[in-house]
Structures are given as structure tokens and as C-alpha cells.
Amino acid sequence: MRMNVNGMGRTGLTLGIGKRAALITGGCGGMGIACAREFGRSQDLILADISQDRLAQTSAQLKDEGYSVSATIAGDIAAPTTMAAIAEAIDAHGSLGTIVHTAGLSSGMADWRAILRTNALGTAMLLDALEARLNPGSVCVLIASIAGHLAPADAEVDALLAAPTETSLEVMESHLQRLAAMMTDSKSFSYSGLSGPAYGVSKRATIRMAEARAPSWANKGARIVSLSPGLIWTPMGRFEVDQGEAAGELLKETPIRRWGTPMDIARAAAFLASDDASFITGTDLRIDGGMVPFRLRGNS
């Protein structure tokens, strides 16, 4: 884990006086960069990502474009040292505004253990770290996935992932094997092994975390929501389509008949974080071009 704290960008712009901080995890990915540009118009940026080199490049690029980057944190999102560094960066800034949590692993990027650890445990750890640092008006947007809507609902799995720990994840293998047998007719994001079911249940858990935390966050004047992208034109999205066993079907299953863009996600996140959405919390917004209803209605 490595953290850099910046007092001045390469453009010579000092951190905004009185501006809140926007924390963007996965800040070097396609959606992360789009959200950084969107929220960086009015907030100082704290960027977190796994790669120090990519963070340095992304931070330099954003500063060259005139954005204020107050800190960068490189590390595993599910590592306690990374959480401590994120908390330190927020405390050093002093005022937390928006959180957009895009960090995660997709089905084709890792095995089931790493997917659950990053997507479920990492998200829970981040929310735990944030709760003591919320201000009235703070808003968190968790990036889930339409896979969370398409994964089979399972009470045992939901209970295990409601408050995940390293220990609870170790007992997930038999549950994933059972779910994999139920998903044999699935055409989207289909992979051999357990990575597909792991991704689906991890994103279902993300959606449920936003629902579960909303009441306690509201007591602090803060809101938390999730956002479920469909087929989005990012390096990760293109990788999934290239590697998936039924890649050619994905666009056919999107009634709007185009890929979503990172800015589709960033603008939706901006709405959810805005005063126009001040009565919206504990819910999920699908940005999928209609894929989920198309699939759930039997492709009619």
C-alpha cells in the first residue's frame, strides 16, 4: 500500500478552499476516470486503485486537465492497510462529500476467492471505514452490476455475504457449486468454474449492502445507493465480452442496441449524488439499456 498526499497539482492549482473531497475507488479504470472528471469539477479528488504506476499516470493526467487531486492510495481494496490509508486521506482533507466505489474484479479476471474478497469483503470494509467520516450531505454510490440482478437469490449466501469476513468466504465454495448448477442455461457472462456465480453473488451483496446501510447513514444526514451497469465500453467490459463463452449474445440482449459509455455511468452517479436525488437512498439504479427486463421476460 502506498499513499501520496498532494498540496498542489501540476497545473499550479491549490486544493479548493472549502471544497469537499470525492473518493473514487478503482480510480484508474474506465468508469473511475469518468467519475473523477465528473465529480472533480466541484470536489477535490482522492483516488484509490491497485496500481501505483497507473495512479501516478491518471493523477498527472487529471491535474494537467485542471482537476485537484488531494491524495492517491495504491493498494488492495480488501487490505486493512489500504483502508487505513483511505481513512487517513479523508481525515487529512477534512470533509467527505461523494464516494464512488468502482473498484472490483469481474468474472474473467480472477478466481472465485479473489472475486468475493475484493467485491464483497472489500466493499464491506470500505463502508465500515467511511461510516465514522460521514458528513450531512455525504453520498456513496456503489458500482454493482446487472449480474447482481440475474444471480439466483439464495438465503444462505445472502446471510454469509451480508457481513463478509475472510472466514465466511472460505465456506462459500460449496454454495457456489450449487448455484453454478442452477445457472447452466445462463448466456451472459458465462464462465467455466465458479467465477461467474461468485461475481453475481458478490454484486448482489453490493446491492444489498446499500439497502442495509441506508437507515444508519440517514441518521447522519448521508445517503447510500448502488448503480448496476450493463454492457459498458471500458477495458474491463470489453475484456469480459472477449472472454465470455456467449459474448456475441450480449449486445443482442440489450434492447437499446448499443454499448453504454463510462460517461453514462458517471452522469447517472452525478444525479444520484445530487440534491435532485435527495429523497433517494437504499436502492439500486440499473444502467443497462434494458438488458435485465429483456432477459427476465424470456427474451420476448
Side-chain angles (χ1 to χ4, degrees):
M1 181 280 304
R2 183 175 175 183
M3 180 175 74
N4 291 325
V5 178
N6 306 304
M8 182 174 291
R10 288 179 59 188
T11 57
L13 297 175
T14 57
L15 299 185
I17 297 174
K19 287 170 66 176
R20 289 191 168 191
L23 169 65
I24 313 293
T25 72
C28 300
M31 284 186 270
I33 293 173
C35 289
R37 288 192 172 106
E38 179 63 35
F39 289 99
R41 296 189 300 166
S42 59
Q43 299 179 66
D44 296 323
L45 295 170
I46 299 173
L47 304 178
D49 203 277
I50 190 69
S51 168
Q52 178 62 42
D53 289 341
R54 291 180 63 200
L55 270 173
Q57 294 170 2
T58 300
S59 177
Q61 177 183 351
L62 289 169
K63 290 176 184 178
D64 281 342
E65 295 173 12
Y67 296 100
S68 168
V69 181
S70 67
T72 60
I73 301 102
D76 174 4
I77 197 68
T81 52
T82 305
M83 286 300 110
I86 288 174
E88 182 181 349
I90 294 170
D91 292 343
H93 186 281
S95 182
L96 180 61
T98 304
I99 308 99
V100 186
H101 178 45
T102 79
L105 292 174
S106 62
S107 305
M109 296 175 68
D111 65 18
W112 67 267
R113 289 181 179 84
I115 290 170
L116 289 179
R117 184 174 178 275
T118 298
N119 296 359
L121 179 59
T123 300
M125 291 175 63
L126 176 65
L127 296 179
D128 287 343
L130 292 174
E131 289 210 351
R133 294 166 174 85
L134 297 173
N135 302 299
S138 294
V139 182
C140 179
V141 181
L142 302 176
I143 302 300
S145 169
I146 58 168
H149 292 271
L150 299 173
D154 186 279
E156 291 181 79
V157 170
D158 285 346
L160 285 169
L161 296 184
T165 64
E166 296 276 8
T167 302
S168 69
L169 296 187
E170 284 303 313
V171 303
M172 281 291 298
E173 186 169 13
S174 62
H175 294 288
L176 294 176
Q177 290 171 340
R178 175 168 49 80
L179 293 180
M182 299 168 57
M183 297 171 67
T184 54
D185 62 346
S186 175
K187 294 190 293 183
S188 295
F189 301 99
S190 179
Y191 289 86
S192 58
L194 302 181
S195 61
Y199 181 70
V201 298
S202 73
K203 291 303 185 178
R204 176 175 166 82
T206 300
I207 294 167
R208 287 171 56 83
M209 285 181 202
E211 295 173 349
R213 303 239 181 182
S216 63
W217 282 46
N219 290 337
K220 299 182 178 185
R223 296 186 293 112
I224 180 170
V225 295
S226 60
L227 189 159
S228 289
L231 192 61
I232 307 298
W233 189 261
T234 63
M236 181 185 289
R238 295 193 298 274
F239 175 83
E240 288 297 305
V241 166
D242 290 342
Q243 298 298 316
E245 295 171 4
E249 298 299 316
L250 289 173
L251 194 57
K252 295 178 183 177
E253 294 178 340
T254 303
I256 289 185
R257 294 292 189 271
R258 70 166 175 89
W259 285 74
T261 69
M263 284 308 299
D264 286 326
I265 303 305
R267 292 299 297 146
F271 164 71
L272 290 171
S274 74
D275 289 343
D276 288 338
S278 62
F279 201 55
I280 299 175
T281 194
T283 191
D284 182 78
L285 175 63
R286 295 196 310 262
I287 310 294
D288 67 346
M291 183 187 290
V292 167
F294 181 85
R295 287 178 55 85
L296 294 182
R297 292 177 180 273
N299 300 349
S300 58

